[in-house]
């Protein structure tokens, strides 16, 4: 055989070529993710909820996979099935809680859905108990340690991923700003930390992430606060972002309508300079949300990164570089969401504690009437509300006559 017919073996890539290829792939997929993120956000809340659901499932799969031992799992066919069963049970409980809370006015008046809504927690508990009993029944001698490790690992993953991301979904339903703002603060903080770190970073921050520096950490904190002020000022101008998702069919172009939370409305504040006591106090107008953003930005900068450090320690424990390969050039979904979970959890707790308004809602009134009043009392409520609306001129007198012919008479 002549040398010309011999196939030439491809030259191995140099380190520079590998880094270049990785950088190009990473950059392309970064823009793909950004475009998809904004497209979903402007398309409507339902698309964001779908993305969060997909992230939950994929992240759970990735975290469960790193602790799995294939050789043992083959001998225990129900191990993986139980993992997914507990995931399904957890999602049924969490999703059901959100649907019942935010859409009471729909769920509680439907004859088919009403029993599921009123007994939702009991149904969820019994589903979990069934899985628990099946787990105990599937224990096999010689595999106890592995099976209990998988059981504990599954529950840890459910809490750290699914429970926390559930609050991200609730944030979205409370208003798009409560989803987008925390997420964007974490993303921009990561970018600012990288830029500040390579520019003037000198002191190592933590051993788990050798490339993180104190200078980058502090610099990113300051820049994230400035970004938060600017972004909040923009988002507050659009009701699509600040209104709760009372219509899942809405999008950025159709918009939403609501009475804005007072936190978004400019209020008058008086400031007296400590060194100028004899000068008159200065008055300025600013929305309280601009003060709250200081807390959000500080948490995203000082606390949320520790979610990433926790993930780094987890990967070092199992000696893996990434949680998966779901995103080319970036690793797994969990590698990109490790800080977002705890940030979304914090955003929900802070919002509910300091910002949310607790006013009577249609769903809340219906729930109270269904659970606290008898059928006769509920009919009296209908009559009373109808008379009031007729008196206010909101409905015609014919409605009273119609109800008198349909509703049973008082005993």
């Amino acid at each position: 055989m002549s040398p010309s017919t011999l196939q030439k073996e491809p030259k191995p890539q140099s380190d520079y070529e590998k880094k270049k290829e990785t950088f190009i792939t990473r950059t392309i997929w970064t823009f793909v993710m950004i475009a998809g993120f904004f497209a979903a956000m402007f398309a409507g809340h339902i698309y964001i909820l779908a993305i969060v659901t997909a992230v939950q499932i994929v992240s759970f799969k990735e975290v469960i996979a790193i602790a799995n031992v294939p050789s043992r799992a083959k001998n225990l066919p129900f191990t993986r099935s139980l993992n997914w069963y507990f995931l399904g049970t957890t999602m049924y409980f969490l999703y059901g809680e959100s649907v019942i809370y935010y859409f009471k006015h729909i769920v509680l008046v439907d004859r088919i859905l009403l029993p599921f809504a009123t007994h939702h927690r009991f149904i969820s508990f019994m589903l979990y108990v069934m899985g628990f009993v099946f787990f105990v029944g599937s224990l096999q001698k010689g595999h106890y340690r592995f099976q209990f490790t998988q059981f504990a690992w599954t529950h840890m993953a459910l809490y750290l991923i699914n429970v926390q991301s559930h609050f991200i979904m609730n944030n979205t339903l409370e208003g798009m700003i409560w989803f987008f703002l925390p997420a964007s603060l974490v993303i921009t903080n990561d970018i600012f930390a990288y830029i500040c770190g390579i520019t003037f970073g000198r002191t190592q921050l933590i051993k788990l992430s050798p490339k993180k520096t104190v200078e980058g950490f502090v610099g990113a904190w300051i820049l994230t606060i400035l970004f938060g002020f600017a972004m909040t000022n923009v988002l507050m101008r659009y009701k699509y972002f600040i209104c709760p998702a009372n219509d899942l069919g809405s999008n950025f172009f159709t918009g939403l309508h609501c009475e804005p939370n007072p936190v978004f409305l400019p209020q008058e504040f008086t400031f007296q300079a400590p060194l100028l006591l004899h000068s008159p106090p200065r008055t300025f107008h600013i929305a309280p949300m601009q003060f709250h953003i200081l807390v959000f930005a500080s948490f995203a900068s000082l606390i949320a990164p520790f979610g990433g450090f926790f993930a780094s320690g987890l990967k070092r424990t199992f000696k893996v570089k990434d949680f998966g390969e779901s995103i080319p050039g970036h690793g797994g979904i969990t590698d990109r969401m490790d800080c977002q979970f705890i940030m979304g959890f914090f955003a929900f707790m802070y919002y509910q504690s300091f910002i949310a308004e607790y006013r009577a809602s249609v769903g809340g009134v219906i729930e109270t009437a269904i659970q606290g009043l008898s059928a006769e009392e509920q009919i009296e409520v209908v009559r009373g509300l109808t008379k009031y609306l007729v008196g206010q001129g909101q409905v015609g007198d014919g409605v009273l006559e119609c109800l008198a012919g349909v509703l049973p008479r008082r005993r």
Side-chain angles (χ1 to χ4, degrees):
M1 184 179 292
S2 62
S4 58
T5 60
L6 293 175
Q7 294 182 350
K8 295 182 179 179
E9 295 182 1
K11 295 181 179 179
Q13 285 184 317
S14 64
D15 290 339
Y16 171 77
E17 291 174 334
K18 289 180 180 178
K19 290 181 179 179
K20 181 181 178 181
E21 183 179 345
T22 302
F23 175 78
I24 293 173
T25 303
R26 187 185 182 93
T27 302
I28 292 173
W29 277 95
T30 297
F31 283 110
V32 170
M33 287 190 293
I34 292 174
F37 175 79
F38 278 99
M41 186 174 64
F42 289 124
H45 299 73
I46 191 69
Y47 295 95
I48 292 295
L49 298 181
I51 289 177
V52 174
T53 301
V55 167
Q56 284 188 55
I57 296 172
V58 176
S59 295
F60 177 82
K61 176 179 177 293
E62 291 175 347
V63 172
I64 288 298
I66 66 172
N68 191 35
V69 181
S71 59
R72 291 198 172 188
K74 287 182 180 179
N75 298 325
L76 302 167
F78 296 113
T79 300
R80 293 186 65 182
S81 299
L82 276 173
N83 290 341
W84 289 104
Y85 177 82
F86 283 123
L87 172 65
T89 301
T90 303
M91 293 183 70
Y92 172 80
F93 169 70
L94 295 175
Y95 278 63
E97 289 287 303
S98 295
V99 169
I100 295 169
Y101 180 80
Y102 290 103
F103 303 101
K104 292 176 183 176
H105 58 290
I106 298 174
V107 175
L108 296 179
V109 298
D110 188 282
R111 177 178 294 183
I112 297 176
L113 296 179
L114 180 60
F116 290 96
T118 53
H119 303 102
H120 171 69
R121 293 179 180 177
F122 180 76
I123 295 171
S124 301
F125 174 72
M126 291 309 299
L127 287 173
Y128 176 81
V129 168
M130 289 169 59
F132 175 77
V133 171
F134 190 84
F135 165 74
V136 175
S138 67
L139 291 173
Q140 294 185 19
K141 187 176 181 180
H143 299 281
Y144 293 152
R145 181 184 293 274
F146 172 75
Q147 287 181 290
F148 276 105
T149 299
Q150 287 292 304
F151 184 79
W153 187 256
T154 299
H155 284 69
M156 185 199 76
L158 289 173
Y159 171 72
L160 292 178
I161 297 172
N162 298 90
V163 173
Q164 291 191 118
S165 59
H166 161 70
F167 292 108
I168 297 177
M169 299 185 69
N170 286 355
N171 292 341
T172 305
L173 294 172
E174 292 287 356
M176 190 66 79
I177 190 173
W178 306 115
F179 163 78
F180 177 71
L181 197 58
S184 63
L185 288 172
V186 169
I187 294 170
T188 52
N189 178 259
D190 189 45
I191 295 172
F192 289 144
Y194 174 76
I195 294 173
C196 293
I198 63 173
T199 303
F200 48 81
R202 296 291 182 273
T203 311
Q204 188 181 62
L205 176 66
I206 187 170
K207 291 183 178 179
L208 280 172
S209 293
K211 295 182 180 180
K212 302 290 184 180
T213 63
V214 174
E215 294 82 2
F217 196 67
V218 175
W221 177 27
I222 297 171
L223 293 176
T224 302
I225 289 176
L226 296 177
F227 169 82
F229 270 111
M231 182 55 67
T232 302
N233 190 46
V234 173
L235 297 179
M236 288 191 303
R237 301 176 184 179
Y238 300 94
K239 285 192 174 182
Y240 176 72
F241 285 98
I242 65 176
C243 288
N246 47 38
D247 180 9
L248 290 179
S250 63
N251 55 55
F252 179 77
F253 303 100
T254 60
L256 288 169
H257 301 283
C258 68
E259 188 70 26
N261 188 311
V263 77
F264 298 117
L265 303 176
Q267 298 181 17
E268 184 178 290
F269 293 89
T270 302
F271 174 75
Q272 177 69 61
L275 301 178
L276 302 172
L277 298 179
H278 298 290
S279 64
R282 296 185 177 182
T283 301
F284 61 97
H285 292 79
I286 188 172
M289 185 60 195
Q290 296 288 21
F291 296 114
H292 290 296
I293 197 61
L294 284 171
V295 182
F296 278 83
S298 296
F299 190 93
S301 304
L302 306 180
I303 306 298
F306 282 85
F309 301 151
F310 176 85
S312 297
L314 202 60
K315 288 186 286 188
R316 288 174 181 269
T317 301
F318 290 95
K319 299 178 181 180
V320 294
K321 182 181 178 182
D322 298 310
F323 281 102
E325 298 178 351
S326 306
I327 311 173
H330 288 269
I333 291 287
T334 314
D335 294 291
R336 300 277 66 83
M337 293 295 296
D338 46 16
C339 302
Q340 295 287 0
F341 293 134
I342 190 172
M343 184 67 201
F345 196 179
F346 166 78
F348 177 83
M349 293 301 177
Y350 186 89
Y351 171 79
Q352 294 294 333
S353 299
F354 302 107
I355 298 175
E357 287 188 300
Y358 295 98
R359 296 181 292 186
S361 65
V362 174
V365 172
I366 293 175
E367 181 182 28
T368 302
I370 290 175
Q371 297 182 351
L373 300 177
S374 65
E376 293 181 354
E377 291 171 329
Q378 291 169 10
I379 292 173
E380 286 301 311
V381 170
V382 173
R383 284 198 180 101
L385 282 175
T386 305
K387 289 180 180 179
Y388 171 78
L389 293 173
V390 170
Q392 296 295 315
Q394 298 296 320
V395 297
D397 294 335
V399 177
L400 273 177
E401 297 175 2
C402 179
L403 286 177
V406 175
L407 296 179
R409 296 180 179 180
R410 298 185 186 92
R411 294 180 180 178

